[in-house]
Amino acid sequence: MTAPLIRADGLTKHYPIVSGTFRRRVTGAVRAVDGVSFTIRRGETLALVGESGCGKSTTGRLLMRLVEPSSGTVRFDGTEISELDARQLRTARRRMQLIFQDPGSSFNPRMSVAALIAEPMRLAGVAGSARRVRVQELLPLVGLAAEHANRYPHEFSGGQRQRIGIARALALRPDFVVCDEPVSALDVSVQAQVINLLTDLQRDFGLTYLFISHDLRVVRHVADRVAVMYLGRIVELADKQALYQTPQHPYTRALLSAVPAHRPGAVRARIEALGEIASARAVPPGCRYHTRCPAVMPVCRTDDPALTDLGGGHLSACHLTRPAH
C-alpha cells in the first residue's frame, strides 16, 4: 500500500482565553481541535462532518498550516510541514489549496474573474502570459465561458461564483484541496452540479480532497471515507458504506437519523441528541458526548474513550462499542 498523501497525528489547536487590563492573564483555553489523527490516501475524498463549532474548519486550516498547531504533526507527501521555512512552505502550498464556503466574501469585488483566478499564480511568480493561458484553460473546465473572464463577481450567481472559486483553487495544479463547506450556501439543484464538477475534476486530475460538511446527505455523494467530529475530536471514522449502514457511535446515529431516507417512501426513526453541544471553553470530563447521549452510562462521565479499531478500519470512540475478536 502506498503512503498516504496527508497524515495528521495528535493534531491540536487550543486558543488561550485571556483577561485583565493588558490581556496578560490566561484563564483557560478554547479547545478547538483536541488530538486528532487520521490519514488521507492519494486520490480519495475524506469527508469531515459534524455540527458547527466542532473544529472541522480549523482542522482543514491546520493541514495547510494556515493555522499553527498547539501540538501534533502534519505530514504532506512524507514531509513534516511544521519543519518548512517560509520559502519551502510557499512551494508546498502550491500543491495545497482551499475552496471556501462563500467564495464571494473571499473575492475582491474590484477584480475581474481573470484576475481572481490568476492571483495565486501571480503570487507564485508565474509569468503573465502563462497566467492568461491557464485562465483560459480553467474556465471551460469549471463550466464557465471564455467571455466571463472580463466580468466581475457581482455579475454571477452563487453557483457560478463557486465555480470561479474552484478554478482559482486549481490554478496552480494542486494535489490536495480542502473543500470547506463548498455547497452549503447553494440551492439543492446547484449543490448537485457543483458536487458533480468536483467529482469530475478529481477523476480527471487525480485530486485528493478533504471535504468539510455538516450535511451527511451531501457527503453520501462525494466521500470515500467519513470522519465524524464532535467538540474537537473524531468520534467515528469508517468507509462510507460501513458508516451509513452500521454506524457505531451514538452521535453518528443521531446525525444519520436526521438525514432524509435514501429510498423514496422509506421512513427513518429520529434519534434526538439531548440538549445543546457543550462549549469548547469547558469540555466535559469523560466522554465529551455524554451530556447529550441517550445511552449514557456511569463510565461515560469519568473515562474518555479512545478511538478504537472495531475491525476493517472502522474506528469508534464509545464505551458501548468494542473491537471485533
Side-chain angles (χ1 to χ4, degrees), residues 235-236 247-254 271 287 289-290 292-301 303-306 308 310 315-325:
V235 297
E236 188 162 2
Q248 296 297 309
H249 198 280
Y251 180 57
T252 306
R253 291 197 288 269
I271 301 172
C287 173
Y289 186 60
H290 85 260
R292 303 176 71 195
C293 183
V296 63
M297 303 179 294
V299 68
C300 304
R301 297 185 174 92
D303 295 352
D304 189 8
T308 305
L310 308 179
L315 282 65
S316 175
C318 179
H319 292 296
L320 291 169
T321 57
R322 295 290 183 269
H325 296 290

Side-chain angles (χ1 to χ4, degrees), residues 235-255:
V235 297
E236 188 162 2
L237 194 158
D239 176 84
K240 176 180 65 176
Q241 183 175 359
L243 186 126
Y244 279 83
Q245 293 183 354
T246 56
Q248 296 297 309
H249 198 280
Y251 180 57
T252 306
R253 291 197 288 269
L255 291 178

Side-chain angles (χ1 to χ4, degrees), residues 203-255:
R203 180 197 62 226
D204 293 343
F205 300 106
L207 299 171
T208 301
Y209 291 149
L210 177 71
F211 191 93
I212 297 170
S213 179
H214 65 276
D215 190 341
L216 279 164
R217 176 187 55 82
V218 168
V219 165
R220 179 188 288 274
H221 299 287
V222 71
D224 297 301
R225 291 186 298 143
V226 182
V228 179
M229 197 167 188
Y230 184 79
L231 209 59
R233 290 269 183 92
I234 291 176
V235 297
E236 188 162 2
L237 194 158
D239 176 84
K240 176 180 65 176
Q241 183 175 359
L243 186 126
Y244 279 83
Q245 293 183 354
T246 56
Q248 296 297 309
H249 198 280
Y251 180 57
T252 306
R253 291 197 288 269
L255 291 178

Side-chain angles (χ1 to χ4, degrees), residues 27-40:
T27 58
V30 175
R31 293 159 67 175
V33 178
D34 207 16
V36 165
S37 299
F38 58 86
T39 61
I40 310 178

